[in-house]
Amino acid sequence: MTLRLYDTATATVRDFVPVHPGKVGIYHCGLTVQGAPHVGHIYKEVVFDVLRRWFERSGYQVTVIANVTDIDDKILAKSAERGVEWWAHAYEFERELHWAYDVLGCRPPTYEPRATGHIPEMLEMIDQLIEAGHAYVAPDGSGDVYFDVKSWPAYGALSHQKIADMEAAEDADPRGKRDPRDFALWKGYTEGTPRTASWPTPWGRGRPGWHLECSAMAGKYLGEEFDIHGGGLDLRFPHHENELAQSTAVGQKFARTWMHNALVTTAGEKMSKSMGNSAVVRNVVERVRPIELRYYLVQSHYRSVVEFSFEALDEAAKSFQRVDGFVARATEVTGGVAPSAELPADFVAAMDDDLGTPAAVAVLHNTVRDGNKLVADGDSAALREALAAVRGMLGVLGLDPLAEPWASRAAAGDELTEVVDGLVKALLEQRQAARARKDYAASDAIRDRLKALGVVVEDTPQGSRWTLAAPNPTEGI
Ligand SMILES: Nc1ncnc2c1ncn2[C@@H]1O[C@H](COP(=O)(O)OP(=O)(O)OP(=O)(O)O)[C@@H](O)[C@H]1O
Ligand SMILES: [Zn+2]
């Protein structure tokens, strides 16, 4: 069986046929770096990281391009609110994004182009569009340039809409449009915005429109026709519809397959910075281990909505602990085995069926269940086989606790936990001694000091236990 993927444009599951044999080019829309990434953002990263690993496993050479939108109205507004330069704001959250990729075990894209680094490519595309009669400079002298939607009859093909049924495009400043549905390719300089956030063009200073940057960068790095264009389902319209219109209107074939991940929601609403319902990655990974958060996202099919809840997250963490508990026990008993090169046929079939991770995870759990029955009998060929298969499957999902990045982190974590445990215990003994001599001021001072560090002390009949307080994971920018 070959890999089959759902294509949003044709609304069908189709065999994957690469543009260039043996190679895959994937573009997925990256973040507008206006704030700290939340679980919704990282879901998209995890989905495309698993897709990339599956292609590589299937023998393809994969190129992944994911942009960073480092200039945009929201970045300008948020940086002004904080009183920092827009570029410093964008860079701060770009680094936060890289941290989040890394902590969740997502490999960085092959290349991650920034919008501000591709202004000449965008201007070249605008020229071509104006030349071909699909774009116009606003006649009001604002410096805006718009795509002429009515000049492109195919507009609406991706989202299956007719131009006549469409509503006005949501541009920040709809000056001088011929038609309310026309969307901005370029935004003329607006009074009050920093001059550093504008670039010279033949029609005045200005900044790029969001849709155009993806067309320019996808074409530059992946060529005029490439395999997969991805992003969250929220981007299908208007963002991807507009990208498709721009690129095809300059004569490119653009993406063969459009892949959209479903959204992470909170109480049924898209998790979104602007909605204030975001679980920020940095906070969530204080509650569960990053590998458990990744498992939580991987176990869901990429086209199914993930209704985020801490109960579901804790449940997933427990489920993953059964898997990594088996890996640890079986490794101890057998002395360790390498991940298997051959994967169980059901697992392969599940992954080939539109990246069917829920069915793939079910195969993983079945293998763990069978393997667990063997552990009590000590080392055996069957146990080694089960462990190798489990590690092989986990590797594809980016979840093998004995592979990088998890292995070295666990080693570092173990050492640190031991040291911290020793230090906290020494303090607790001092606290106990203070209580024994009825010096409650001293014993309370020790408890308060620990509390300020996030260490919660619980007095049990067996003695004092300590844990780290869970932060509030919905706090963030
Ligand atoms: N809740 C979500 N669930 C799944 N994917 C998401 C979610 N929010 C954003 N994405 C995806 O993350 C990528 C980066 O999105 P972008 O920076 O444009 O965020 P956004 O949609 O503006 O988020 P926000 O509304 O939080 O500002 C896009 O591919 C987008 O589809
Ligand atoms: Zn895009």
Side-chain angles (χ1 to χ4, degrees):
M1 201 167 127
T2 54
L3 175 60
R4 292 167 65 72
L5 293 171
Y6 181 83
D7 167 44
T8 316
T10 53
T12 52
V13 178
R14 304 180 308 178
D15 283 359
F16 175 74
V17 182
V19 176
H20 305 288
K23 293 185 176 169
V24 187
I26 303 173
Y27 185 95
H28 56 89
C29 293
L31 247 67
T32 300
V33 279
Q34 50 154 325
H38 55 61
V39 175
H41 296 132
I42 210 67
Y43 183 45
K44 195 260 315 181
E45 296 308 329
V46 169
V47 163
F48 285 93
D49 187 60
V50 171
L51 176 71
R52 171 201 202 154
R53 286 168 191 257
W54 188 239
F55 271 124
E56 283 176 353
R57 179 81 196 198
S58 309
Y60 288 96
Q61 187 190 322
V62 188
T63 304
V64 179
I65 305 295
N67 63 303
V68 169
T69 302
D70 59 344
I71 180 67
D72 150 276
D73 293 349
K74 283 184 265 183
I75 293 174
L76 291 176
K78 289 216 168 156
S79 57
E81 237 169 65
R82 290 173 73 204
V84 298
E85 296 284 358
W86 63 272
W87 37 264
H89 182 93
Y91 186 53
E92 180 178 337
F93 292 108
E94 182 181 319
R95 281 178 308 174
E96 189 70 9
L97 171 67
H98 289 163
W99 171 85
Y101 278 161
D102 194 49
V103 84
L104 271 272
C106 295
R107 285 159 53 200
T110 317
Y111 188 54
E112 196 175 29
R114 291 189 188 134
T116 53
H118 295 77
I119 305 286
E121 287 82 351
M122 293 186 231
L123 296 180
E124 195 178 350
M125 262 188 110
I126 294 179
D127 265 350
Q128 290 171 329
L129 287 167
I130 293 176
E131 186 75 13
H134 298 301
Y136 59 91
V137 179
D140 61 358
S142 60
D144 291 350
V145 185
Y146 292 102
F147 186 90
D148 183 350
V149 164
K150 278 195 294 209
S151 78
W152 192 246
Y155 190 70
L158 179 63
S159 52
H160 311 126
Q161 304 181 72
K162 291 199 186 73
I163 296 179
D165 301 335
M166 288 179 192
E167 291 178 4
E170 282 179 36
D171 289 312
D173 199 359
R175 306 168 288 194
K177 279 190 189 185
R178 282 187 197 155
D179 186 295
R181 290 160 296 196
D182 292 349
F183 59 88
L185 298 169
W186 189 260
K187 297 179 176 192
Y189 178 76
T190 31
E191 225 33 76
T193 54
R195 198 176 150 79
T196 49
S198 67
W199 289 262
T201 74
W203 47 89
R205 291 188 78 86
R207 60 185 185 278
W210 172 39
H211 314 301
L212 186 65
E213 64 181 82
C214 286
S215 280
M217 296 191 272
K220 171 160 181 167
Y221 296 105
L222 294 175
E224 299 202 344
E225 185 180 16
F226 58 92
D227 298 292
I228 293 173
H229 194 315
L233 195 54
D234 55 325
L235 300 190
R236 184 174 59 152
F237 186 85
H239 184 55
H240 288 164
E241 191 73 63
N242 294 353
E243 277 188 46
L244 179 63
Q246 294 158 168
S247 295
T248 45
V250 297
Q252 300 185 9
K253 289 191 174 157
F254 214 48
R256 273 207 188 163
T257 299
W258 288 86
M259 270 183 86
H260 291 107
N261 60 275
L263 298 181
V264 175
T265 59
T266 324
E269 296 283 349
K270 177 192 165 190
M271 185 180 281
S272 155
K273 277 167 286 210
S274 41
M275 295 282 298
N277 62 356
S278 300
V280 172
V281 175
R282 195 175 273 281
N283 293 341
V284 176
V285 296
E286 303 258 324
R287 180 179 174 120
V288 295
R289 290 181 296 153
I291 198 170
E292 293 165 345
L293 172 58
R294 183 174 171 113
Y295 172 84
Y296 169 66
L297 298 174
V298 162
Q299 63 170 5
S300 177
H301 187 250
Y302 78 93
R303 288 200 286 127
S304 302
V305 167
V306 178
E307 168 61 22
F308 182 81
S309 76
F310 288 106
E311 293 72 39
L313 185 64
D314 292 343
E315 199 58 39
K318 274 196 217 128
S319 173
F320 185 71
Q321 283 155 20
R322 284 197 286 277
V323 178
D324 88 344
F326 166 73
V327 173
R329 281 190 300 278
T331 301
E332 211 179 288
V333 169
T334 58
V337 296
S340 156
E342 280 282 299
L343 295 170
D346 304 1
F347 181 90
V348 173
M351 293 298 284
D352 274 346
D353 182 13
D354 193 25
L355 219 60
T357 52
V361 166
V363 178
L364 174 74
H365 277 286
N366 287 340
T367 319
V368 166
R369 204 168 304 124
D370 294 345
N372 268 330
K373 290 184 197 141
L374 300 167
V375 173
D377 297 336
D379 194 3
S380 67
L383 179 61
R384 285 168 174 266
E385 209 176 289
L387 176 58
V390 165
R391 287 196 61 197
M393 291 186 273
L394 286 171
V396 166
L397 304 173
L399 289 167
D400 180 2
L402 303 181
E404 289 309 323
W406 317 111
S408 40
R409 280 184 207 165
D414 282 353
E415 277 167 26
L416 270 186
T417 309
E418 242 170 68
V419 174
V420 174
D421 192 48
L423 290 172
V424 173
K425 279 194 179 133
L427 279 170
L428 291 179
E429 278 162 23
Q430 286 185 18
R431 177 170 166 254
Q432 206 46 45
R435 281 166 70 152
R437 58 174 196 269
K438 299 202 164 31
D439 183 356
Y440 296 113
S443 77
D444 286 353
I446 294 174
R447 190 201 49 209
D448 292 348
R449 188 81 189 268
L450 287 169
K451 194 172 165 203
L453 291 168
V455 177
V456 182
V457 179
E458 197 189 330
D459 292 311
T460 72
Q462 289 76 36
S464 298
R465 283 196 328 120
W466 69 273
T467 47
L468 283 180
N472 177 0
T474 47
E475 263 173 13
I477 293 174

